[in-house]
Amino acid sequence: MKKAYDTVIVGGGFGGLNAAIKLGKKNQNVLLIDKTNHHLFQPLLYQVASAGLSPADIATPIREVLKNYPSITIVMDEVEDISKEGSTISLKSNRIIKFKNLILATGARHSYFGNDQWEEFAPGLKSLDDALRIRENVLNSFEKSELESDIEKIASLTTFVVIGAGPTGVEMAGAIAEIATKTLAKNFSNIDPEASKIYLIEGGDRILSSFHPSLSEKSKKDLESLGVKVKLKSFVKNITSEGVTVGEEFIPTKNIVWAAGNKANPILLKLDSATDKMGRVLVEKDCSIEGYSNIYVIGDACAFKRGEGFLPGLAPVAAQQGKYVANLIIKKLPKGKRDSFKYVDKGAMATIGKSKAILEFGKIRITGFVAWVAWGLVHLLFLVLFRNKVFIFFDWVYSYITEQRGARLIKNKK
């Protein structure tokens, strides 16, 4: 049995949720499909992985967010097939859904560039499961070290390698350094967490390459002041259960975090449309796919041309595209009368640690405490529910004063 909807949205991230809210305000008949029941605030996912926040702080039930829009139906399911010609999608639950408009906001996963076997030893950071796995790896390693007498095993357990020096990698490396040198500094009797080694591996010639070189250099110095060893122009050759090979150097470690690359959701292949090397769909200026003006791909799932490159996979890009596409649907604008999507760049920022951050807006570049406060305020502003804003604010204040992290529970002893 086929059920029809005016608009079907696949994915409850920043793009899908913003599209749904705008359509819901106009009482549009919408179906939102997501394989989880929550909207995840991914920019703070690293704080769950580093025991700074609990999962509920950054994950909001989608039904709660959209409860005031009765025209929106929400189902927790997965898409298994897409028929462009038939305007239908097939779900894992064996339901077939017919649509007039389709918005694919399926996000991205981490890419190992053909070395998928590395994932077992080097988890990425895209979901709550990923974050909790990393958190437990880090905390379990210190607990195991406390019971060890073998110096080499202790060194392996207290060595942490983060691969990829984009915002996620930099933030993760800084957070692990703060855990070792501040949070856990006086928590153990037989080991010294401050003796931990933290490596940040980057193939390029600088970290945070999307920022101005001066901000990259400042961030590198901030990381090094926390004890992070930054290795530039370094490439990973292999990853095993014993450690990671970087160039000709082998680093023994039980803790590796992958932050080096992303790939789009493979369901996009069902569109049989052109993609970039990351598997993102090459979209037209209105975010639709070639030949189908009623099928849109947004956020991390799409490759939207800007100059010589593409728009970055950032939450603000996805959110603006979601609102833009929803507006096209509400106004029922035909292909020839649609203005091109224009991304309003409100700047970029990244945090390295306590009172250490960078902010770039046009030619304005700020570092240090002011940038760190701005980073915090912006992230609080973009959280969906007021409850999350309050809880996270007080968690951050407590952490700033005490240098402690309140989410250091280990559920699975390894």
Side-chain angles (χ1 to χ4, degrees):
M1 179 179 177
K2 296 181 182 178
K3 188 164 183 180
Y5 290 88
D6 289 339
T7 301
V8 173
I9 302 172
V10 183
F14 286 98
L17 198 63
N18 275 276
I21 290 172
K22 194 169 185 67
L23 291 167
K25 288 179 178 178
K26 297 296 183 179
N27 294 314
Q28 297 281 309
N29 180 27
V30 176
L31 174 67
L32 174 64
I33 304 165
D34 197 286
K35 63 182 179 180
T36 72
N37 75 331
H38 57 268
H39 165 73
L40 183 62
F41 193 79
Q42 280 197 341
L44 293 181
L45 194 57
Y46 85 95
Q47 293 213 356
V48 174
S50 59
L53 296 174
S54 296
D57 292 333
I58 66 166
T60 307
I62 295 173
R63 295 186 185 278
E64 180 66 21
V65 179
L66 300 177
K67 66 182 181 181
N68 294 324
Y69 307 107
S71 66
I72 300 177
T73 300
I74 304 161
V75 297
M76 193 167 72
D77 211 330
E78 291 186 57
V79 176
E80 290 197 329
D81 199 8
I82 302 170
S83 171
K84 296 186 295 186
E85 296 79 9
S87 294
T88 62
I89 58 171
S90 301
L91 304 183
K92 194 173 184 180
S93 61
N94 294 321
R95 297 174 68 195
I96 297 176
I97 306 296
K98 190 167 182 62
F99 61 82
K100 292 181 181 177
N101 299 286
L102 176 63
I103 302 174
L104 294 170
T106 51
R109 287 290 291 168
H110 29 271
S111 171
Y112 294 86
F113 308 110
N115 298 287
D116 291 346
Q117 70 276 13
W118 292 353
E119 185 170 11
E120 180 182 354
F121 315 112
L125 189 55
K126 287 293 183 182
S127 69
L128 284 178
D129 286 342
D130 295 335
L132 292 175
R133 178 184 171 189
I134 292 169
R135 185 182 80 179
E136 298 213 336
N137 284 349
V138 172
L139 297 178
N140 268 312
S141 290
F142 284 110
E143 295 296 339
K144 288 180 180 179
S145 298
E146 182 76 351
L147 300 173
E148 272 292 345
S149 56
D150 186 306
I151 294 177
E152 289 187 1
K153 288 183 178 179
I154 292 174
S156 176
L157 287 165
T158 56
T159 295
F160 304 87
V161 178
V162 180
I163 302 169
T168 298
V170 166
E171 289 168 350
M172 196 69 228
I176 293 174
E178 289 192 329
I179 290 174
T181 61
K182 297 176 182 178
T183 305
L184 301 180
K186 298 179 180 179
N187 281 199
F188 293 87
S189 302
N190 300 323
I191 61 167
D192 178 13
E194 292 186 79
S196 300
K197 294 180 181 178
I198 299 99
Y199 293 88
L200 178 62
I201 312 298
E202 169 57 37
D205 58 1
R206 61 189 178 96
I207 68 173
L208 297 172
S209 59
S210 61
F211 289 81
H212 189 271
S214 64
L215 296 179
S216 297
E217 184 59 29
K218 171 61 176 172
S219 300
K220 180 174 178 287
K221 290 179 179 177
D222 283 341
L223 283 170
E224 290 171 339
S225 73
L226 291 171
V228 177
K229 295 176 173 61
V230 180
K231 297 176 71 68
L232 301 175
K233 300 180 181 178
S234 301
F235 295 91
V236 173
K237 287 189 174 180
N238 195 24
I239 298 174
T240 69
S241 61
E242 300 303 314
V244 55
T245 302
V246 182
E248 301 304 316
E249 179 185 5
F250 178 72
I251 304 174
T253 177
K254 297 296 183 183
N255 290 281
I256 307 168
V257 178
W258 184 266
N262 296 315
K263 62 180 178 181
N265 192 310
I267 191 62
L268 298 173
L269 297 175
K270 299 291 185 178
L271 292 173
D272 194 27
S273 295
T275 61
D276 68 356
K277 62 182 180 180
M278 294 167 57
R280 301 180 302 177
V281 176
L282 295 166
V283 296
E284 300 191 343
K285 295 299 183 181
D286 60 352
C287 295
S288 68
I289 65 173
E290 185 179 4
Y292 293 86
S293 61
N294 66 326
I295 299 178
Y296 306 90
V297 185
I298 62 175
D300 291 350
C302 84
F304 190 97
K305 193 76 174 175
R306 181 177 68 170
E308 296 300 314
F310 299 99
L311 285 176
L314 300 174
V317 175
Q320 290 181 35
Q321 286 180 331
K323 293 175 182 177
Y324 164 83
V325 167
N327 191 55
L328 296 183
I329 293 171
I330 291 167
K331 293 184 177 181
K332 299 180 179 180
L333 292 173
K335 186 77 172 178
K337 293 188 176 181
R338 298 174 181 177
D339 292 331
S340 298
F341 170 72
K342 291 182 174 57
Y343 172 54
V344 180
D345 190 349
K346 298 179 180 179
M349 52 182 63
T351 181
I352 295 90
K354 179 181 177 180
S355 298
K356 295 178 174 66
I358 59 172
L359 184 157
E360 184 172 23
F361 178 67
K363 295 184 178 181
I364 299 173
R365 303 181 188 105
I366 304 173
T367 64
F369 180 76
V370 173
W372 183 75
V373 170
W375 175 91
L377 290 175
V378 167
H379 282 73
L380 287 175
L381 179 66
F382 277 94
L383 285 163
V384 178
L385 294 185
F386 180 72
R387 170 198 175 277
N388 298 78
K389 299 176 194 283
V390 173
F391 278 42
I392 290 178
F393 173 76
F394 283 108
D395 271 346
W396 283 349
V397 170
Y398 172 79
S399 179
Y400 182 83
I401 295 172
T402 66
E403 296 188 333
Q404 294 300 304
R405 292 170 181 261
R408 284 157 40 200
L409 302 181
I410 297 175
K411 182 181 178 183
N412 299 307
K413 183 180 178 182
K414 298 179 181 179

